[in-house]
Amino acid sequence: VVPTAILFVYSFCERDEVGGVIFTFTLDNYQRVFDPVYVRIFVRSIGYAGLTTLICVIIGYPMAYYIARAPEARRNQLLLLVMVPFWTSFLIRTYAWITILKQEGLLNGLLQAMQLTASPLSLMYTPTAVVIGLVYAYLPFMILPIYSSAEKLDHALVEAAYDLGAGPLRAFASVIIPLTMPGIAAGTLLVFVPAIGMFAITDLMGGAKVPMIGNVIQNQFMQARDWPFGAALGVVFMLLFAVTYLLL
């Protein structure tokens, strides 16, 4: 609460010539937030976060449901595999993807060895690389909540749907999805909101060519030393989080 309150107070302050904070009330920082440049960055951040969330749902839901339906001994092994990436530093995992995707990396070497490409693909420092990094970083946060909901699913209800004439697709859409929706909602919240504010992946894998709102906030505090404006961006970001939470 205290850091959030400080951020809120700073957002109404001014910046002096050397980067200090002047405690005078102003709304200029919030006016700057709605400058078309920053609005585009917000929209881009929401777009990337939305795409990341969608891909995580598409990949994570089948995985989570399969794990939840697996025998208990195998289920624990599969959950362990989902958790293994957390045993390694986030930056190390990101640099591992850089090693895989760069022109002299593992993926291009494999594609050329299989004669699927004549020359290395330019994957690094592109929007594609950023999305890959975001999906990899946040996929476990989608799998685990959905798994929790799917594990509690009473499979007798699915069998009842089959007995009443529903096919696999109808049973999936009318029974399984509604009953596991709390897990989908929780996973969406855990992926969408932090993906908007991510700056490390966009810097490392996007080469700072795809700035998101997290990059802008970091730059305002660290490079530009405009803490009041960075605080205003942070407050708007938190409001966006609140709206997302209410919608879900």
Side-chain angles (χ1 to χ4, degrees):
V1 174
V2 173
T4 302
I6 294 173
L7 197 72
F8 184 74
V9 171
Y10 277 12
S11 69
F12 293 101
C13 297
E14 294 182 346
R15 172 186 181 274
D16 63 17
E17 294 80 4
V18 295
V21 178
I22 303 174
F23 291 92
T24 55
F25 181 82
T26 179
L27 294 174
D28 290 346
N29 297 315
Y30 286 98
Q31 291 177 350
R32 287 179 62 191
V33 168
F34 294 100
D35 182 279
V37 173
Y38 298 109
V39 170
R40 283 195 295 270
I41 293 176
F42 263 109
V43 171
R44 180 192 300 135
S45 301
I46 292 172
Y48 275 90
L51 179 60
T52 299
T53 304
L54 178 62
I55 296 174
C56 283
V57 171
I58 293 173
I59 298 175
Y61 193 97
M63 294 176 64
Y65 189 79
Y66 176 78
I67 295 172
R69 295 294 101 192
E72 186 172 353
R74 181 169 175 77
R75 187 188 313 164
N76 294 333
Q77 294 172 354
L78 294 172
L79 281 175
L80 180 63
L81 291 177
V82 174
M83 299 297 295
V84 161
F86 292 112
W87 298 358
T88 309
S89 165
F90 166 76
L91 286 177
I92 292 176
R93 287 184 278 133
T94 303
Y95 278 112
W97 269 108
I98 294 174
T99 304
I100 293 171
L101 296 179
K102 65 182 182 180
Q103 287 197 340
E104 305 83 12
L106 178 63
L107 180 60
N108 275 312
L110 182 62
L111 292 174
Q112 288 182 284
M114 298 174 64
Q115 298 183 347
L116 296 176
T117 57
S119 58
L121 300 177
S122 298
L123 298 173
M124 279 302 300
Y125 311 125
T126 64
T128 301
V130 172
V131 172
I132 290 173
L134 290 173
V135 169
Y136 176 76
Y138 293 114
L139 183 58
F141 295 99
M142 181 65 72
I143 293 175
L144 295 176
I146 296 176
Y147 161 78
S148 180
S149 291
E151 186 187 27
K152 299 173 185 175
L153 176 65
D154 186 355
H155 203 66
L157 297 174
V158 181
E159 293 176 354
Y162 289 145
D163 291 341
L164 293 172
L169 291 179
R170 182 69 181 275
F172 179 75
S174 300
V175 179
I176 297 175
I177 287 291
L179 292 177
T180 55
M181 188 56 69
I184 297 174
T188 299
L189 189 66
L190 290 173
V191 172
F192 181 76
V193 173
I196 295 178
M198 172 56 69
F199 62 89
I201 289 177
T202 52
D203 275 348
L204 295 174
M205 299 186 67
K209 296 179 181 179
V210 191
M212 294 172 66
I213 193 60
N215 302 93
V216 177
I217 294 174
Q218 185 216 22
N219 289 335
Q220 294 303 318
F221 278 97
M222 304 302 295
Q223 279 80 37
R225 294 189 60 80
D226 192 346
W227 288 25
F229 181 53
L233 289 169
V235 169
V236 172
F237 176 72
M238 285 190 293
L239 290 175
L240 183 63
F241 165 80
V243 170
T244 304
Y245 178 79
L246 292 174
L247 290 176
L248 294 174

